[in-house]
Amino acid sequence: MTDTIKNFTFDELSVGQTAQMTRTLNKEDIAVFAAASWDTNPAHLDEEYAKGTMFGEVIVHGMWSAGLISAAIGTQLPGVGTIYLGQDLQFRRPVKIGDTVTAQITVLEKDEAKKRVILETLVLNQNGEKVVVGKATVLAPAEKIVRPAIAVPQVQIVG
């Protein structure tokens, strides 16, 4: 992680510009997401139950992958000061414990009149397979922002 976080203003963005963020999913990520969202679906938390599902094992919540997209948009492209207006998502493959996934953001178009940006949003697994595909609409920041980065909070899982 860098010491600062910055953005790209609407004027600095160009069609085709990309950014990405990569994470390897672990069991604790699933537990933290379940605690934050209150989504305790056993497909995500109960190994015995998950064995009987079509995936045969625990999978992460689909919105965890969407959260990685949001993190890439809010911290990298366009970055700090971006306002999320909408997101279309299609979930194509499950993400399982140990998978390494990469959220890729690409500028598809810019609407000068409304200062809106359409972004292609993809999440790929370690095999390059599309896990999530979609498009986001955002308001890119008008002003350049550079500020100290905030460390990800440390969380302890109990029980």
Side-chain angles (χ1 to χ4, degrees):
M1 187 165 147
T2 61
D3 294 334
T4 60
I5 191 169
K6 61 183 178 178
N7 65 6
F8 292 92
T9 66
F10 181 87
D11 292 335
E12 292 174 321
L13 292 171
S14 59
V15 172
Q17 187 172 355
T18 64
Q20 64 182 32
M21 178 178 281
T22 300
R23 288 279 316 266
T24 299
L25 178 74
N26 61 47
K27 190 175 182 177
E28 291 76 20
D29 291 324
I30 295 173
V32 169
F33 191 89
S37 67
W38 283 56
D39 183 348
T40 59
N41 180 336
H44 308 303
L45 300 168
D46 183 332
E47 291 178 26
E48 196 58 40
Y49 172 85
K51 286 179 186 176
T53 68
M54 63 187 284
F55 303 112
E57 62 186 297
V58 167
I59 60 171
V60 73
H61 307 76
M63 294 311 287
W64 181 90
S65 296
L68 192 60
I69 292 170
S70 179
I73 289 172
T75 64
Q76 295 185 20
L77 186 69
V80 181
T82 300
I83 305 297
Y84 230 129
L85 297 176
Q87 175 75 58
D88 170 49
L89 296 170
Q90 292 94 46
F91 300 94
R92 300 280 175 89
R93 295 182 155 313
V95 175
K96 301 175 180 183
I97 295 170
D99 282 354
T100 298
V101 293
T102 300
Q104 289 184 343
I105 312 302
T106 304
V107 177
L108 291 179
E109 57 186 87
K110 294 172 59 175
D111 180 341
E112 186 71 40
K114 295 182 179 179
K115 300 295 183 191
R116 292 183 179 188
V117 180
I118 306 298
L119 304 168
E120 177 184 47
T121 58
L122 293 174
V123 179
L124 305 169
N125 66 17
Q126 64 275 4
N127 300 318
E129 299 166 320
K130 293 177 181 178
V131 173
V132 180
V133 299
K135 288 184 181 177
T137 304
V138 302
L139 286 176
E143 296 179 12
K144 191 71 175 173
I145 300 170
V146 179
R147 54 179 294 117
I150 298 171
V152 175
Q154 297 300 304
V155 178
Q156 182 179 7
I157 300 169
V158 179

